[in-house]
């Protein structure tokens, strides 16, 4: 039996098919919104807006992306009829607004027409806010004013600009009529899952924790917070399920891609909870770092640990219990901006960064885009050295070292010390960054075989939902392909730089008020 994992992320959608009995990945396919679906005007996964705080995308782009992905899997020769279960993951926090009767339309899909043609009329909001949106500063202020520290104690996160609750509140305030025409509000993950289950799909407690609405003690949406967030919201939220449950069964529509109708669809999760599984991070202290559009750090959590600074979050762990999550929005966006400014290929960027002297004290604040950790609401790039008069390698290295130091600084609140890092994501191929991360954290760093840990996590969860044991799947699919050892001679130099970096960040935050 084969299992399909779907990762609906910011810049595209990926699919991965695994064969657990053979212990191998059978196929991988990808769709890039900028290249493959140009008609949606979202070269980086969102449409341009005059206000840089607003980041929105057309959910039909995600739907067309899903169909194109399935077609690509068919075209690459995957025996689709052997797929026994499907699961998936979505970019977190984004929300999709559906009118009354949408579940009925989702349940009566006909193969002659595309999914997007059939469901476009169900959208109560044309463009969906995504995780990069920071337009809800005022809504977060109001939520914090009303609930105080309880919002973090109950939902695991302070009121956070990109989180779904503040986003829904802003939609209700600005477009009350469209809000009233909304019968159901999905996350990206549960929306895609709803297409694959013929209309009904729950939100899982991993992705659900990224809404500022889920009470982590009861594992229900908090009625008081939800109703205050927007009137009538509790009735518009989907049901909740732990990440290992069946959301529904695949409808006949998908037989056009050779898939068998009726196979189980395991509840979709957020890309970070799914990456935790795909990285095989099952022990506290073993931290996954995913270098995607954003850089995220995550680890299983023994007990609730709230970040006093408010950047760390608690989410449901799809394998049971909870996980920590910290998101650095500028991740690959900053690396790409720096690489372009130096006019280097990725290989050359990596090579010059690796060759430049380690821990030379060059630091930068790389907020090319708005940042979540720390919260930065206007792009701002600052150096403690003269960028115009240094070799490209020095500049490239200053960025990578600063990114690693920021990760170290903002994980200091976690009680379980980082014992090991498991690295995934596109930029995990960057050898210079691998060594820098191992040196800054002074721990072993393991590279796992697939770069898309979120898609792999989804495929593993599909298999687990069909009876496979996660531990066995971890052994088969998440073994380390390479191990990078920390260089002890760099320990004290990076400790010194950590303090300098903390001071630089603090001075900037203070100047911004
Ligand atoms: C996590 C976050 C991002 C998105 C990107 O809180 O905002 O990592 O999930 O896909």
């Amino acid at each position: 039996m084969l299992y399909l994992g779907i990762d609906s992320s910011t810049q595209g959608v990926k699919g991965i098919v695994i064969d657990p009995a053979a212990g191998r990945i059978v196929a991988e396919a990808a769709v890039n919104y900028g290249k493959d679906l140009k008609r949606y005007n979202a070269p980086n996964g969102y449409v341009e807006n005059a206000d840089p705080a607003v980041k929105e995308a057309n959910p039909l782009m995600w739907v067309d992306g899903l169909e194109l992905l399935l077609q690509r899997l068919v075209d690459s020769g995957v025996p689709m009829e052997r797929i026994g279960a499907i699961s998936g993951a979505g970019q977190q926090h984004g929300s999709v607004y559906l009118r009354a009767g949408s579940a009925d339309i989702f349940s009566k899909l006909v193969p002659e027409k595309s999914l997007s043609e059939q469901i476009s009329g169900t959208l109560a909001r044309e463009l969906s806010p995504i995780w990069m949106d920071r337009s809800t500063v005022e809504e977060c202020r109001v939520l914090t004013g009303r609930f105080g520290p309880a919002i973090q104690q109950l939902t695991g996160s302070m009121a956070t600009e990109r989180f779904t609750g503040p986003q829904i509140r802003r939609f209700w305030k600005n477009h009350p009529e469209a809000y009233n025409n909304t019968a159901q509000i999905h996350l990206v993950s549960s929306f895609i899952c709803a297409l694959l289950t013929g209309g009904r799909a729950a939100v899982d407690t991993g992705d659900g924790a990224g809404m500022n609405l889920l009470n982590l003690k009861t594992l229900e949406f908090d009625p008081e917070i939800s109703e205050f967030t927007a009137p009538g919201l509790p009735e518009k939220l989907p049901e909740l399920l732990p990440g290992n449950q069946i959301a529904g069964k695949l409808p006949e529509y998908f037989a056009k891609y050779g898939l068998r109708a009726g196979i189980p669809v395991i509840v979709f999760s957020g890309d970070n909870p799914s990456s935790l599984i795909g990285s095989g991070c099952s022990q506290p202290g073993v931290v996954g770092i995913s270098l995607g559009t954003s850089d995220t750090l995550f680890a299983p959590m023994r007990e609730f640990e709230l970040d006093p600074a408010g950047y760390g979050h608690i989410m449901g762990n799809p394998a049971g219990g909870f996980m920590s999550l910290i998101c650095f929005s500028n991740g690959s966006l900053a690396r790409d901006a720096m690489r372009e400014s130096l006019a280097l290929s990725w290989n050359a960027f990596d090579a010059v960064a690796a060759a430049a002297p380690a821990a030379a004290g060059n630091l930068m604040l790389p907020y090319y885009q708005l940042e979540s950790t720390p919260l930065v609401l206007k792009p701002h790039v600052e150096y403690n050295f003269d960028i115009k008069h240094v070799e490209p390698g020095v500049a490239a290295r200053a960025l990578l070292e600063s990114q690693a130091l920021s990760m170290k600084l903002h994980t200091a609140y976690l009680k379980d010390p980082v014992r090991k890092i498991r690295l995934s994501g596109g930029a995990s191929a960057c050898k210079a960054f691998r060594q820098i991360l191992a040196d800054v954290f002074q721990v072993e760093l393991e590279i796992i075989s697939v770069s898309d840990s979120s898609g792999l996590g989804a495929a593993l969860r599909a298999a687990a939902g069909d009876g496979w044991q996660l531990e066995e799947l971890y052994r088969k699919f998440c073994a380390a392909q390479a191990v990078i050892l920390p260089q002890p001679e760099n320990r004290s130099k990076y400790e010194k730089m950590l303090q300098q970096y903390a001071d630089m960040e603090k001075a900037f935050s203070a100047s911004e008020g």
Side-chain angles (χ1 to χ4, degrees):
M1 198 74 91
L2 308 180
Y3 299 96
L4 169 61
I6 295 166
D7 177 20
S8 179
S9 68
T10 317
Q11 308 200 35
V13 52
K14 298 182 201 119
I16 178 164
V17 180
I18 60 166
D19 179 346
R24 68 185 187 93
I25 292 170
V26 174
E28 286 180 83
V31 170
N32 178 282
Y33 299 137
K35 286 200 199 101
D36 297 315
L37 294 171
K38 288 201 175 73
R39 60 184 176 278
Y40 287 104
N41 297 321
N44 299 305
Y46 54 85
V47 291
E48 279 310 320
N49 192 295
D51 181 351
V54 173
K55 294 280 187 291
E56 296 173 326
N58 189 333
L60 297 178
M61 175 175 82
W62 305 329
V63 178
D64 282 347
L66 171 72
E67 290 221 82
L68 189 52
L69 177 80
L70 293 174
Q71 189 55 51
R72 286 190 175 165
L73 287 170
V74 172
D75 294 346
S76 69
V78 175
M80 301 292 271
E81 71 290 350
R82 287 186 54 211
I83 291 177
I86 300 177
S87 190
Q91 53 172 315
Q92 294 201 255
H93 319 299
S95 39
V96 181
Y97 300 72
L98 300 180
R99 293 176 195 280
S102 61
D104 196 41
I105 293 177
F106 282 33
S107 71
K108 294 190 182 129
L109 299 168
V110 292
E112 296 75 33
K113 290 186 184 164
S114 74
L115 276 179
S116 62
E117 271 177 278
Q118 297 181 73
I119 68 142
S120 63
T122 66
L123 294 178
R125 176 175 179 172
E126 193 196 338
L127 294 179
S128 288
I130 66 161
W131 64 276
M132 296 172 84
D133 193 286
R134 297 288 178 276
S135 62
T136 60
V137 175
E138 173 58 16
E139 286 70 21
C140 290
R141 200 188 54 74
V142 172
L143 284 163
T144 308
R146 166 67 180 81
F147 294 102
I151 195 144
Q152 190 188 26
Q153 285 152 3
L154 296 175
T155 72
S157 300
M158 286 185 188
T160 304
E161 289 70 14
R162 66 188 188 284
F163 276 38
T164 325
Q167 292 288 345
I168 295 172
R169 184 175 170 83
R170 183 165 184 269
F171 183 56
W172 161 62
K173 288 246 137 198
N174 291 352
H175 303 281
E177 207 173 308
Y179 174 79
N180 287 336
N181 288 337
T182 303
Q184 181 128 75
I185 302 179
H186 272 294
L187 293 179
V188 178
S189 59
S190 61
F191 170 61
I192 304 290
C193 190
L195 294 170
L196 292 166
T197 53
R200 275 176 59 105
V203 162
D204 93 306
T205 52
D207 212 11
M211 301 173 83
N212 270 151
L213 297 172
L214 173 63
N215 183 325
L216 292 177
K217 308 228 158 90
T218 60
L219 293 182
E220 301 285 347
F221 287 119
D222 189 281
E224 223 182 313
I225 298 178
S226 305
E227 185 60 36
F228 180 80
T229 293
L233 180 56
E235 291 76 57
K236 299 183 200 285
L237 295 170
E239 61 177 321
L240 278 156
L241 276 180
N244 58 0
Q245 302 286 305
I246 295 177
K249 290 188 186 318
L250 192 75
E252 193 61 46
Y253 176 84
F254 293 94
K256 78 196 230 190
Y257 299 107
L259 291 161
R260 277 181 292 126
I263 57 171
V265 177
I266 311 306
V267 66
F268 277 37
S269 188
D271 52 2
N272 292 296
S274 194
S275 278
L276 183 83
I277 305 297
S279 307
C281 294
S282 55
Q283 304 294 323
V286 178
V287 173
I289 299 185
S290 163
L291 306 173
T293 306
S294 60
D295 290 344
T296 53
L297 272 83
F298 39 78
M301 204 176 228
R302 242 188 279 264
E303 52 190 80
F304 271 33
E305 284 166 36
L306 299 175
D307 177 6
Y311 302 126
H313 308 289
I314 303 177
M315 310 241 150
N317 176 345
F322 295 94
M323 63 179 277
S324 59
L325 168 72
I326 307 173
C327 171
F328 300 85
S329 308
N330 271 276
S332 286
L333 299 167
R335 288 184 289 274
D336 216 24
M338 173 62 94
R339 182 190 61 77
E340 268 183 22
S341 74
L342 299 172
L344 295 172
S345 68
W346 273 117
N347 283 347
F349 177 89
D350 191 3
V352 294
N362 299 315
L363 291 170
M364 63 182 288
L365 299 180
Y367 314 134
Y368 292 87
Q369 300 269 350
L370 312 194
E371 179 54 66
S372 3
T373 310
L375 183 63
V376 179
L377 295 168
K378 275 193 291 226
H380 174 87
V381 181
E382 178 185 325
Y383 315 88
N384 75 347
F385 60 98
D386 183 357
I387 183 79
K388 292 203 184 68
H389 295 103
V390 295
E391 295 292 321
V394 171
R397 194 167 184 105
L399 170 65
L400 299 179
E401 290 186 344
S402 301
Q403 289 187 316
L405 289 164
S406 182
M407 291 180 195
K408 171 92 175 158
L409 177 68
H410 292 289
T411 42
Y413 79 95
L414 289 168
K415 287 198 198 89
D416 278 306
V418 179
R419 284 189 288 115
K420 188 189 274 184
I421 292 172
R422 312 208 84 210
L423 195 66
S424 63
S428 64
C430 178
K431 294 203 173 62
F433 205 21
R434 292 175 178 184
Q435 189 64 56
I436 290 169
L437 285 165
D439 285 359
V440 164
F441 281 88
Q442 285 292 310
V443 295
E444 267 184 28
L445 179 141
E446 295 182 340
I447 313 293
I448 55 171
S449 61
V450 286
S451 73
D452 183 18
S453 52
S454 169
L456 176 62
L460 300 186
R461 291 192 308 107
D466 201 33
W468 284 85
Q469 294 301 311
L470 269 181
E471 286 307 325
E472 188 179 355
L473 295 169
Y474 289 150
R475 274 196 303 281
K476 290 187 168 186
F477 292 99
C478 307
Q481 300 299 300
V483 179
I484 316 295
L485 299 177
Q487 304 178 115
E489 64 274 23
N490 286 337
R491 177 193 288 268
S492 63
K493 289 190 239 168
Y494 279 124
E495 274 169 6
K496 198 167 143 219
M497 275 176 79
L498 181 63
Q499 191 51 54
Q500 290 164 342
Y501 178 82
D503 293 343
M504 191 168 167
E505 193 190 282
K506 205 164 151 196
F508 167 67
S509 300
S511 73
E512 289 295 288

